Amino acid sequence: MPLELKNIATLNGLGPQEMTKVIDDYSVILEQHGLAYTRVDYYWQVGTIEPVQGWILHLSVVWSQIMALTKLLIPILLESSIPFKIVKDKETANSLLNGDFGASQVGKVISIYPTNVGQGVALARQLIQLTAPYKGPAILTDIHLGGALYTRYGSFNPTIRSDTAGRKIKLIYDVQGQLIPDTQPIPFVLPTGIEWPFAEMASPIVPKPKTVFHDIYKPIQILKSDTKGNVIKSLYLKNHFFVKWCVIKQAKKNMWMDEAGRDITDRLVWQKKIYDQLHDTVPLPKLLDFFIEQDDTHLAMEFIKGPSLYNCILELNSKCNSWEGLSLKNRQFILDRITELIQIIERMHQKGFVHRDITPVNFLVTKKNKLVLIDIELAYSLKERTPYPPFELGTHGFMSPEQLEVRTPTIQEDIYGLGATMITLLIGLPPINFSISNKELLQENLNFFLRNNELAELIASCLDRDPALRPPVKKLYDTVEKYKISCQQYKAGGKDILDIGVLANDELHSLIDGAIKGLVSAPTVINKDLWLSRTPARDNMADAQRKEFGKSPGLCEGISGVMYFLARAKAAGFNIDICRKAYNTGWAYLKEKHIGELPNLTPGLYGGAAGIALATAYGMNSGLLEDNRENRLYIQRCLELPPVGLDVATGAAGQGIATLQCRPYLEGDILSALVKSHVKTLLAALQKDGCWVIFQDGSGKKAPAASFAYGNSGMIWFLLEYGVQYKDQTILNIAVHSLKVLSQLVRPFSSMIKNQGFRKIIQDPQASDGIPGLILTLIKAYEAVEDPQFKEMGEQLLVNYPTCLVHENYRQDVGLSGMGELYLEAYRVFNNPEWLDRAGKLAQFFMHTSRKEPDGSYHWLNNNSPFPTADLMVGSSGIIYFLIRHLTQGKMKYRLLR
């Protein structure tokens, strides 16, 4: 916040409530007390926290009361010299309070670290009384002591270690003095051997959840887990002779407070009011009850059996075909649902309501293929002009610009939502995957998928930034009806839509140049010239869209991967000068924060030292890093760490692959010793059946794990590469034998691709990385030993994929850019032009789903995330890498030093 605003607030003597309206940064209140503070994660810390662990006191308070509570709290803490943390600003406070940072962080606005138990107990007594007037959401990892005060036993100043994926883990000591993770279980569990010191205030035993709500509703299954309130499938036990399913929407106490002071309960109350007014006009579930249970508000309604419209369409197109690859029957079904949806929204408008959250998820499809609207809490009454201000938020990608700006709602917001929904239903991609701001470009990209310019123009007009230029509902209905008739006039499943010529080299080159620029341009997540990656989930609950990003050294996700890609791009002749500053900053960060941690750095390829070594080698190979003794020594030290496992991602196979690729920068005897030690490790662990890792599915059936990253495919690939480079026939024979054992999966995998489709494959833990891994290893084996059966099996798997894949997963390991890599590798080794042709289709796909910014940069959004990252495996770098390989028509080898 500008210093001038801080001074204005101070000079004018504004109180806490008034200051909240002027400022967002809570460091202002600390400065008013003359306190020094430091930034720690998303908090300001005051004082030095010395103990490793102990009883943490947490205060949960809604954002509108934070300044007032802090003003009361600080003098008490200063008097006893107790260190504390306060959330850094209003935006971060809202994220904590709303569950955006995970269920384990909800409500932890202020954290206090007493130096001993006695001090903590005394302070707790005082704070319970002090905070009685304040309110906030329940802190799920803690025990509630009273008022706004909660507590748990955990880390103050923990030992930090990296796990095998390079993620930071907080460790504390158990009663035996052994380091253990600070897990923060939900609900609270008193650690073994730790005494509960707050017995006078609360019990450490969390009450068991109620088995029956309101005496007549028995919860059975959580349909949607959310920190703000769950959606629960329940039995409606009205009497012994009347039992049926129902759904209960829950609003948890004091969750989600907006600028008007309304919380999630107010939204649920509003939803009931709308139901009462619309139930006879639009198809809605029947309301059964509205009640409060354990301070949480609940809305009970009848259970509608059937999938959401979104899931229905996904199931309809599980193979991820293009629109024209669908049968006429399936296309007709989708178009019928679109016209039905338009009619429902039109009836809402006629009753004077704007829906404001039109997405395929908010409609259920009944057994009779009729739509039922299930979520209307964001609706706005045009007649009553309520709620005012309108409720914020919605579904990212489906909200109009004016809705994001919280303007007074109009029916034009729903036209935008209808257009966004049509993109999802017709093309199979989220609307955020397209450049929305450029109407002409959007129309061109939509027409590429739909092959109908009139429909593409209509949808693009729905998403016009100017609400006045969006078409009326009737035009939407009439155009879709007209398109239905035209669909019946040509043969279904005809020419593949991506057979629209060949992508010109200059177009592809221009896209690659713009995408490289996009690696250091907004909105790609980068801070102070350091690429950030999405941090892992802190718990298993399904939270709202996470906002956490952090620095990672990883090759798979992290700085090493982006540096690796830039080196490859430069070696391929592309100008990466715009990224040089970020590259150098990343290199300095790796040297200081991670190479400097040796030998305590995790050794793996995907998230650890081997990945850093690989990025360093490619940097030297391309001239981005100086080829000197110091950098060569970095590589050697990174590769000398002992393995902690066997696989490619974290273990010996990955370290072996990295060592082979770093061959030009290692002395011969060191290289030989390192790589042979990894081969020896794998051979020692090889089981009699020719496998290392056995997979067991839910039914208990066992099979060799095919995963490239964590299973047998990657280990075999390494042995094949070693056997070729060292001309070691014995190792080649062992690798071939293991691959033949693994090849028993070719037939079931082929059937899975053909019958279940791409969408279900990437949801299967065995198949998602296993099928691509097996294909890649079969290609490698054919190249190594020229046995035609490996080519036959590899192509048997590849040919079962649709010639045109459409899916929102763009990842290198299990997504579309990874499929493109497989096609190019198959073309390079098998010399079959079909695979180059399929790679070309995917290149066109990425051309038409790239998001162009006004500065000419490009990026992609992966897996429906609104935040693009530069990561190699899950971000834009991996997509650009595939496009560069396609430009060379597969002549550039798959991730090998040239």
Side-chain angles (χ1 to χ4, degrees):
M1 174 187 170
L3 183 60
E4 291 79 9
L5 285 183
K6 295 181 182 179
N7 290 336
I8 289 171
T10 304
L11 291 173
N12 287 306
L14 297 179
Q17 298 294 340
E18 291 81 10
M19 285 181 61
T20 302
K21 299 175 184 178
V22 180
I23 62 173
D24 289 332
D25 190 334
Y26 298 138
S27 64
V28 172
I29 192 70
L30 303 179
E31 292 173 2
Q32 285 187 328
H33 285 81
L35 297 175
Y37 56 88
T38 57
R39 167 79 180 273
V40 179
D41 294 329
Y42 26 80
Y43 293 93
W44 300 123
Q45 179 176 316
V46 177
T48 302
I49 302 173
E50 294 181 351
V52 173
Q53 62 204 66
W55 287 100
I56 311 168
L57 300 178
H58 288 126
L59 290 170
S60 175
V61 58
V62 295
W63 68 263
S64 60
Q65 297 178 333
I66 291 175
M67 296 293 287
L69 177 59
T70 304
K71 183 178 180 181
L72 292 174
L73 180 66
I74 287 177
I76 297 172
L77 298 177
L78 290 181
E79 184 179 353
S80 301
S81 299
I82 302 176
F84 65 94
K85 294 178 185 175
I86 178 173
V87 67
K88 65 185 186 70
D89 54 37
K90 177 182 171 183
E91 180 183 0
T92 309
N94 274 328
S95 294
L96 280 171
L97 292 165
N98 294 344
D100 294 338
F101 291 160
S104 63
Q105 301 303 305
V106 169
K108 296 178 180 178
V109 174
I110 301 173
S111 303
I112 304 169
Y113 301 86
T115 56
N116 56 66
V117 173
Q119 186 183 55
V121 171
L123 180 61
R125 294 192 193 101
Q126 192 173 3
L127 292 183
I128 289 173
Q129 292 183 346
L130 177 73
T131 63
Y134 295 85
K135 63 179 182 178
I139 298 179
L140 304 178
T141 61
D142 292 25
I143 288 290
H144 184 214
L145 297 179
L149 185 66
Y150 295 76
T151 190
R152 81 172 184 92
Y153 187 87
S155 57
F156 281 27
N157 189 22
T159 298
I160 304 294
R161 296 274 174 85
S162 297
D163 65 8
T164 55
R167 295 169 297 209
K168 301 298 183 182
I169 304 295
K170 293 181 179 180
L171 300 175
I172 59 176
Y173 292 95
D174 64 13
V175 291
Q176 283 78 38
Q178 301 296 316
L179 282 173
I180 59 172
D182 184 7
T183 56
Q184 302 192 50
I186 298 175
F188 172 87
V189 176
L190 184 65
T192 302
I194 300 298
E195 184 178 347
W196 174 250
F198 304 99
E200 65 185 86
M201 306 167 202
S203 167
I205 301 174
V206 178
K208 292 183 179 180
K210 293 194 69 172
T211 58
V212 178
F213 287 164
H214 206 48
D215 297 326
I216 54 174
Y217 302 102
K218 182 174 179 60
I220 300 298
Q221 177 188 3
I222 294 179
L223 300 177
K224 179 183 177 184
S225 177
D226 194 308
T227 52
K228 303 176 190 66
N230 298 321
V231 178
I232 309 165
K233 184 178 180 181
S234 306
L235 283 175
Y236 180 33
L237 310 172
K238 189 171 184 179
N239 56 56
H240 294 296
F241 305 101
F242 185 82
V243 177
K244 66 177 182 178
W245 290 110
C246 69
V247 171
I248 297 177
K249 291 192 69 172
Q250 178 188 52
K252 293 185 178 179
K253 183 181 179 182
N254 297 331
M255 284 297 302
W256 183 87
M257 179 166 287
D258 64 11
E259 296 286 344
R262 301 169 301 191
D263 60 20
I264 200 70
T265 299
D266 294 308
R267 287 174 63 146
L268 200 62
V269 170
W270 172 242
Q271 183 170 344
K272 180 184 182 300
K273 183 177 180 180
I274 303 172
Y275 268 102
D276 291 339
Q277 296 185 47
L278 287 178
H279 71 273
D280 59 347
T281 305
V282 298
L284 293 165
K286 180 181 177 182
L287 286 189
L288 303 175
D289 207 348
F290 186 81
F291 61 92
I292 296 175
E293 187 85 35
Q294 294 180 323
D295 294 330
D296 296 333
T297 306
H298 301 79
L299 182 66
M301 63 192 76
E302 69 171 319
F303 175 74
I304 305 295
K305 188 174 183 180
S308 70
L309 178 57
Y310 178 73
N311 287 332
C312 181
I313 300 304
L314 294 189
E315 183 66 28
L316 199 72
N317 188 17
S318 64
K319 296 182 180 180
C320 300
N321 281 301
S322 63
W323 172 247
E324 289 198 349
L326 291 175
S327 68
L328 177 59
K329 178 182 177 182
N330 286 344
R331 278 182 284 165
Q332 195 71 35
F333 176 88
I334 294 171
L335 292 170
D336 285 342
R337 301 292 74 72
I338 290 174
T339 53
E340 185 182 358
L341 192 156
I342 293 171
Q343 290 176 315
I344 291 172
I345 298 304
E346 185 177 29
R347 291 200 295 272
M348 281 194 70
H349 293 172
Q350 292 168 350
K351 288 283 285 188
F353 285 91
V354 185
H355 186 278
R356 305 183 68 242
D357 196 16
I358 300 171
T359 77
V361 175
N362 286 337
F363 293 82
L364 297 181
V365 181
T366 68
K367 289 183 177 180
K368 295 182 178 181
N369 289 334
K370 294 297 181 182
L371 296 182
V372 176
L373 181 54
I374 59 170
D375 200 339
I376 55 174
E377 65 183 51
L378 292 186
Y380 177 83
S381 172
L382 295 169
K383 296 177 180 179
E384 300 177 6
R385 297 187 178 183
T386 55
Y388 187 82
F391 285 124
E392 295 183 41
L393 301 180
T395 304
H396 191 81
F398 296 82
M399 291 184 289
S400 65
E402 63 269 25
Q403 185 172 347
L404 287 167
E405 294 168 5
V406 202
R407 298 186 210 165
T408 300
T410 69
I411 61 173
Q412 301 306 314
E413 288 187 7
D414 283 353
I415 303 300
Y416 191 100
L418 285 169
T421 297
M422 288 172 67
I423 290 176
T424 303
L425 298 179
L426 294 171
I427 296 176
L429 294 172
I432 63 171
N433 284 32
F434 294 94
S435 288
I436 302 296
S437 58
N438 186 322
K439 182 179 176 181
E440 289 72 25
L441 179 60
L442 176 61
Q443 181 178 336
E444 176 188 334
N445 289 334
L446 295 178
N447 186 47
F448 170 77
F449 287 97
L450 296 174
R451 300 298 297 277
N452 185 288
N453 193 58
E454 182 180 9
L455 188 59
E457 182 182 14
L458 178 78
I459 297 174
S461 296
C462 288
L463 275 66
D464 199 300
R465 289 194 64 85
D466 185 349
L469 298 179
R470 296 173 197 156
V473 174
K474 186 176 188 308
K475 185 175 180 180
L476 278 179
Y477 181 85
D478 291 344
T479 304
V480 176
E481 282 292 314
K482 178 181 176 182
Y483 184 63
K484 276 190 202 177
I485 297 171
S486 68
C487 279
Q488 297 172 4
Q489 295 175 351
Y490 57 82
K491 184 179 178 181
K495 186 179 181 182
D496 196 304
I497 61 163
L498 296 191
D499 284 335
I500 309 178
V502 177
L503 190 61
N505 283 355
D506 58 343
E507 288 183 282
L508 188 52
H509 208 292
S510 177
L511 174 63
I512 292 168
D513 285 337
I516 289 173
K517 182 179 181 180
L519 296 178
V520 289
S521 304
T524 297
V525 184
I526 185 170
N527 182 43
K528 296 180 181 178
D529 295 314
L530 277 176
W531 290 290
L532 305 184
S533 302
R534 187 170 296 282
T535 55
R538 295 171 180 258
D539 49 63
N540 294 322
M541 295 187 70
D543 304 303
Q545 175 65 53
R546 296 183 182 280
K547 299 179 181 178
E548 286 187 90
F549 291 86
K551 297 183 286 288
S552 168
L555 184 74
C556 176
E557 295 180 65
I559 294 168
S560 292
V562 189
M563 291 176 60
Y564 163 88
F565 160 72
L566 289 171
R568 292 302 303 269
K570 184 176 185 297
F574 285 85
N575 185 345
I576 58 96
D577 287 348
I578 196 169
C579 298
R580 284 297 294 265
K581 184 179 179 182
Y583 182 96
N584 293 335
T585 303
W587 173 237
Y589 169 79
L590 289 178
K591 284 198 299 182
E592 178 185 356
K593 298 294 185 180
H594 294 280
I595 297 176
E597 287 186 3
L598 290 168
N600 296 321
L601 190 62
T602 182
L605 175 62
Y606 279 20
I612 295 175
L614 196 61
T616 306
Y618 276 98
M620 293 163 64
N621 181 64
S622 66
L624 288 172
L625 295 178
E626 185 178 350
D627 184 356
N628 57 30
R629 178 169 177 76
E630 180 183 25
N631 288 341
R632 288 184 174 229
L633 184 59
Y634 285 153
I635 294 173
Q636 179 182 328
R637 291 177 63 207
C638 284
L639 295 173
E640 285 178 336
L641 298 179
V644 295
L646 301 174
D647 57 45
V648 166
T650 64
Q655 290 171 268
I657 291 173
T659 303
L660 289 174
Q661 294 190 37
C662 295
R663 187 172 187 167
Y665 306 104
L666 293 169
E667 295 180 6
D669 56 341
I670 294 173
L671 169 72
S672 179
L674 284 175
V675 75
K676 288 183 178 179
S677 71
H678 295 310
V679 171
K680 184 178 179 180
T681 297
L682 288 178
L683 296 184
L686 185 62
Q687 300 176 33
K688 292 181 180 179
D689 59 5
C691 296
W692 291 270
V693 182
I694 299 297
F695 173 85
Q696 184 171 327
D697 62 21
S699 65
K701 185 177 179 181
K702 295 182 178 181
S707 169
F708 189 85
Y710 300 100
N712 298 290
S713 290
M715 297 183 227
I716 297 170
W717 196 98
F718 163 59
L719 293 179
L720 288 167
E721 181 66 15
Y722 173 86
V724 169
Q725 289 200 28
Y726 281 85
K727 297 180 173 57
D728 191 326
Q729 191 59 48
T730 300
I731 297 300
L732 283 174
N733 291 341
I734 293 172
V736 167
H737 171 71
S738 292
L739 181 55
K740 287 181 178 179
V741 174
L742 194 60
S743 297
Q744 65 180 279
L745 296 174
V746 168
R747 181 174 294 179
F749 276 168
S750 295
S751 177
M752 183 180 294
I753 300 169
K754 186 176 181 179
N755 298 322
Q756 296 188 23
F758 185 76
R759 192 174 305 281
K760 290 187 177 180
I761 286 173
I762 61 175
Q763 297 171 347
D764 186 297
Q766 163 74 322
S768 57
D769 186 37
I771 296 178
L774 180 54
I775 295 171
L776 186 61
T777 306
L778 289 167
I779 296 170
K780 185 69 177 175
Y782 178 74
E783 183 180 32
V785 300
E786 299 182 346
D787 187 335
Q789 68 172 321
F790 293 131
K791 176 182 178 182
E792 180 182 347
M793 287 188 288
E795 294 196 317
Q796 179 184 342
L797 288 166
L798 285 171
V799 78
N800 282 298
Y801 285 100
T803 57
C804 164
L805 279 167
V806 177
H807 195 277
E808 67 271 18
N809 189 321
Y810 297 172
R811 294 173 56 129
Q812 270 273 338
D813 50 359
V814 300
L816 295 192
S817 63
M819 283 302 304
E821 293 271 18
L822 286 180
Y823 288 140
L824 289 175
E825 194 69 358
Y827 171 70
R828 185 183 68 82
V829 176
F830 298 157
N831 199 31
N832 182 343
E834 178 180 353
W835 310 128
L836 181 61
D837 180 64
R838 291 199 185 191
K841 290 177 171 58
L842 285 172
Q844 293 229 39
F845 174 93
F846 286 120
M847 166 68 80
H848 289 280
T849 56
S850 59
R851 290 172 55 99
K852 186 176 183 179
E853 295 299 320
D855 64 357
S857 65
Y858 290 90
H859 65 273
W860 290 267
L861 295 180
N862 181 42
N863 264 348
N864 209 16
S865 169
F867 306 106
T869 66
D871 297 308
L872 177 65
M873 199 69 80
V874 301
S876 292
S877 288
I879 297 170
I880 313 170
Y881 185 83
F882 157 66
L883 294 175
I884 291 176
R885 285 200 71 207
H886 177 65
L887 191 63
T888 66
Q889 296 192 346
K891 294 176 183 177
M892 186 167 68
K893 279 194 172 184
Y894 182 76
R895 302 179 189 161
L896 293 175
L897 278 170
R898 295 184 298 170

PDB file of all heavy atoms in Angstrom, residues 826-838:
ATOM      1  N   ALA A 826       7.181 -41.865 -32.300  1.00  0.00           N
ATOM      2  CA  ALA A 826       6.805 -43.011 -33.134  1.00  0.00           C
ATOM      3  C   ALA A 826       7.148 -42.752 -34.597  1.00  0.00           C
ATOM      4  O   ALA A 826       7.625 -43.644 -35.313  1.00  0.00           O
ATOM      5  CB  ALA A 826       5.315 -43.301 -32.985  1.00  0.00           C
ATOM      6  N   TYR A 827       6.915 -41.520 -35.058  1.00  0.00           N
ATOM      7  CA  TYR A 827       7.261 -41.180 -36.440  1.00  0.00           C
ATOM      8  C   TYR A 827       8.766 -41.241 -36.660  1.00  0.00           C
ATOM      9  O   TYR A 827       9.246 -41.778 -37.673  1.00  0.00           O
ATOM     10  CB  TYR A 827       6.742 -39.789 -36.780  1.00  0.00           C
ATOM     11  CG  TYR A 827       7.245 -39.280 -38.106  1.00  0.00           C
ATOM     12  CD1 TYR A 827       6.806 -39.844 -39.305  1.00  0.00           C
ATOM     13  CD2 TYR A 827       8.181 -38.244 -38.165  1.00  0.00           C
ATOM     14  CE1 TYR A 827       7.281 -39.382 -40.523  1.00  0.00           C
ATOM     15  CE2 TYR A 827       8.662 -37.786 -39.375  1.00  0.00           C
ATOM     16  CZ  TYR A 827       8.209 -38.359 -40.553  1.00  0.00           C
ATOM     17  OH  TYR A 827       8.684 -37.913 -41.759  1.00  0.00           O
ATOM     18  N   ARG A 828       9.530 -40.715 -35.715  1.00  0.00           N
ATOM     19  CA  ARG A 828      10.993 -40.696 -35.852  1.00  0.00           C
ATOM     20  C   ARG A 828      11.576 -42.097 -35.944  1.00  0.00           C
ATOM     21  O   ARG A 828      12.484 -42.362 -36.739  1.00  0.00           O
ATOM     22  CB  ARG A 828      11.612 -39.950 -34.658  1.00  0.00           C
ATOM     23  CG  ARG A 828      13.123 -39.766 -34.739  1.00  0.00           C
ATOM     24  CD  ARG A 828      13.684 -39.094 -33.498  1.00  0.00           C
ATOM     25  NE  ARG A 828      13.586 -39.945 -32.322  1.00  0.00           N
ATOM     26  CZ  ARG A 828      14.457 -40.898 -32.024  1.00  0.00           C
ATOM     27  NH1 ARG A 828      15.474 -41.159 -32.822  1.00  0.00           N
ATOM     28  NH2 ARG A 828      14.298 -41.614 -30.925  1.00  0.00           N
ATOM     29  N   VAL A 829      11.017 -43.017 -35.139  1.00  0.00           N
ATOM     30  CA  VAL A 829      11.590 -44.371 -35.080  1.00  0.00           C
ATOM     31  C   VAL A 829      10.914 -45.325 -36.061  1.00  0.00           C
ATOM     32  O   VAL A 829      11.582 -46.100 -36.755  1.00  0.00           O
ATOM     33  CB  VAL A 829      11.485 -44.920 -33.635  1.00  0.00           C
ATOM     34  CG1 VAL A 829      11.977 -46.368 -33.563  1.00  0.00           C
ATOM     35  CG2 VAL A 829      12.285 -44.045 -32.674  1.00  0.00           C
ATOM     36  N   PHE A 830       9.575 -45.272 -36.156  1.00  0.00           N
ATOM     37  CA  PHE A 830       8.851 -46.205 -37.020  1.00  0.00           C
ATOM     38  C   PHE A 830       8.756 -45.723 -38.464  1.00  0.00           C
ATOM     39  O   PHE A 830       8.436 -46.504 -39.359  1.00  0.00           O
ATOM     40  CB  PHE A 830       7.420 -46.426 -36.495  1.00  0.00           C
ATOM     41  CG  PHE A 830       7.348 -47.033 -35.113  1.00  0.00           C
ATOM     42  CD1 PHE A 830       6.206 -46.861 -34.333  1.00  0.00           C
ATOM     43  CD2 PHE A 830       8.392 -47.775 -34.594  1.00  0.00           C
ATOM     44  CE1 PHE A 830       6.116 -47.421 -33.065  1.00  0.00           C
ATOM     45  CE2 PHE A 830       8.318 -48.331 -33.326  1.00  0.00           C
ATOM     46  CZ  PHE A 830       7.182 -48.156 -32.553  1.00  0.00           C
ATOM     47  N   ASN A 831       8.975 -44.415 -38.662  1.00  0.00           N
ATOM     48  CA  ASN A 831       8.923 -43.817 -40.006  1.00  0.00           C
ATOM     49  C   ASN A 831       7.557 -44.015 -40.662  1.00  0.00           C
ATOM     50  O   ASN A 831       7.453 -44.193 -41.875  1.00  0.00           O
ATOM     51  CB  ASN A 831      10.026 -44.380 -40.896  1.00  0.00           C
ATOM     52  CG  ASN A 831      10.299 -43.496 -42.104  1.00  0.00           C
ATOM     53  OD1 ASN A 831      10.133 -42.276 -42.025  1.00  0.00           O
ATOM     54  ND2 ASN A 831      10.687 -44.091 -43.209  1.00  0.00           N
ATOM     55  N   ASN A 832       6.497 -43.950 -39.835  1.00  0.00           N
ATOM     56  CA  ASN A 832       5.132 -44.079 -40.346  1.00  0.00           C
ATOM     57  C   ASN A 832       4.506 -42.689 -40.370  1.00  0.00           C
ATOM     58  O   ASN A 832       4.316 -42.068 -39.324  1.00  0.00           O
ATOM     59  CB  ASN A 832       4.319 -45.007 -39.436  1.00  0.00           C
ATOM     60  CG  ASN A 832       2.901 -45.238 -39.926  1.00  0.00           C
ATOM     61  OD1 ASN A 832       2.387 -44.496 -40.759  1.00  0.00           O
ATOM     62  ND2 ASN A 832       2.249 -46.261 -39.397  1.00  0.00           N
ATOM     63  N   PRO A 833       4.156 -42.145 -41.562  1.00  0.00           N
ATOM     64  CA  PRO A 833       3.666 -40.769 -41.657  1.00  0.00           C
ATOM     65  C   PRO A 833       2.354 -40.523 -40.904  1.00  0.00           C
ATOM     66  O   PRO A 833       2.005 -39.378 -40.636  1.00  0.00           O
ATOM     67  CB  PRO A 833       3.489 -40.560 -43.169  1.00  0.00           C
ATOM     68  CG  PRO A 833       3.393 -41.935 -43.743  1.00  0.00           C
ATOM     69  CD  PRO A 833       4.237 -42.803 -42.879  1.00  0.00           C
ATOM     70  N   GLU A 834       1.621 -41.586 -40.562  1.00  0.00           N
ATOM     71  CA  GLU A 834       0.373 -41.385 -39.826  1.00  0.00           C
ATOM     72  C   GLU A 834       0.624 -40.692 -38.495  1.00  0.00           C
ATOM     73  O   GLU A 834      -0.160 -39.851 -38.057  1.00  0.00           O
ATOM     74  CB  GLU A 834      -0.336 -42.724 -39.577  1.00  0.00           C
ATOM     75  CG  GLU A 834      -1.627 -42.563 -38.766  1.00  0.00           C
ATOM     76  CD  GLU A 834      -2.352 -43.861 -38.501  1.00  0.00           C
ATOM     77  OE1 GLU A 834      -1.937 -44.900 -39.050  1.00  0.00           O
ATOM     78  OE2 GLU A 834      -3.339 -43.843 -37.758  1.00  0.00           O
ATOM     79  N   TRP A 835       1.732 -41.037 -37.859  1.00  0.00           N
ATOM     80  CA  TRP A 835       1.998 -40.460 -36.539  1.00  0.00           C
ATOM     81  C   TRP A 835       2.411 -39.003 -36.655  1.00  0.00           C
ATOM     82  O   TRP A 835       2.067 -38.189 -35.781  1.00  0.00           O
ATOM     83  CB  TRP A 835       3.047 -41.287 -35.806  1.00  0.00           C
ATOM     84  CG  TRP A 835       2.721 -42.752 -35.819  1.00  0.00           C
ATOM     85  CD1 TRP A 835       3.530 -43.785 -36.205  1.00  0.00           C
ATOM     86  CD2 TRP A 835       1.459 -43.350 -35.482  1.00  0.00           C
ATOM     87  NE1 TRP A 835       2.866 -44.978 -36.123  1.00  0.00           N
ATOM     88  CE2 TRP A 835       1.588 -44.746 -35.674  1.00  0.00           C
ATOM     89  CE3 TRP A 835       0.237 -42.855 -35.043  1.00  0.00           C
ATOM     90  CZ2 TRP A 835       0.551 -45.639 -35.443  1.00  0.00           C
ATOM     91  CZ3 TRP A 835      -0.805 -43.734 -34.816  1.00  0.00           C
ATOM     92  CH2 TRP A 835      -0.647 -45.104 -35.016  1.00  0.00           C
ATOM     93  N   LEU A 836       3.092 -38.634 -37.715  1.00  0.00           N
ATOM     94  CA  LEU A 836       3.398 -37.223 -37.940  1.00  0.00           C
ATOM     95  C   LEU A 836       2.117 -36.446 -38.223  1.00  0.00           C
ATOM     96  O   LEU A 836       1.947 -35.317 -37.759  1.00  0.00           O
ATOM     97  CB  LEU A 836       4.379 -37.071 -39.100  1.00  0.00           C
ATOM     98  CG  LEU A 836       4.812 -35.628 -39.418  1.00  0.00           C
ATOM     99  CD1 LEU A 836       5.520 -35.001 -38.225  1.00  0.00           C
ATOM    100  CD2 LEU A 836       5.703 -35.597 -40.661  1.00  0.00           C
ATOM    101  N   ASP A 837       1.209 -37.074 -38.963  1.00  0.00           N
ATOM    102  CA  ASP A 837      -0.069 -36.432 -39.268  1.00  0.00           C
ATOM    103  C   ASP A 837      -0.864 -36.184 -37.989  1.00  0.00           C
ATOM    104  O   ASP A 837      -1.450 -35.111 -37.798  1.00  0.00           O
ATOM    105  CB  ASP A 837      -0.860 -37.319 -40.232  1.00  0.00           C
ATOM    106  CG  ASP A 837      -2.205 -36.701 -40.604  1.00  0.00           C
ATOM    107  OD1 ASP A 837      -2.207 -35.634 -41.225  1.00  0.00           O
ATOM    108  OD2 ASP A 837      -3.247 -37.304 -40.268  1.00  0.00           O
ATOM    109  N   ARG A 838      -0.869 -37.159 -37.091  1.00  0.00           N
ATOM    110  CA  ARG A 838      -1.605 -36.976 -35.835  1.00  0.00           C
ATOM    111  C   ARG A 838      -0.948 -35.909 -34.964  1.00  0.00           C
ATOM    112  O   ARG A 838      -1.637 -35.130 -34.295  1.00  0.00           O
ATOM    113  CB  ARG A 838      -1.691 -38.295 -35.075  1.00  0.00           C
ATOM    114  CG  ARG A 838      -2.586 -39.326 -35.737  1.00  0.00           C
ATOM    115  CD  ARG A 838      -2.994 -40.379 -34.727  1.00  0.00           C
ATOM    116  NE  ARG A 838      -3.763 -41.462 -35.321  1.00  0.00           N
ATOM    117  CZ  ARG A 838      -4.402 -42.374 -34.615  1.00  0.00           C
ATOM    118  NH1 ARG A 838      -4.351 -42.338 -33.287  1.00  0.00           N
ATOM    119  NH2 ARG A 838      -5.084 -43.345 -35.194  1.00  0.00           N
TER     120      ARG A 838
END
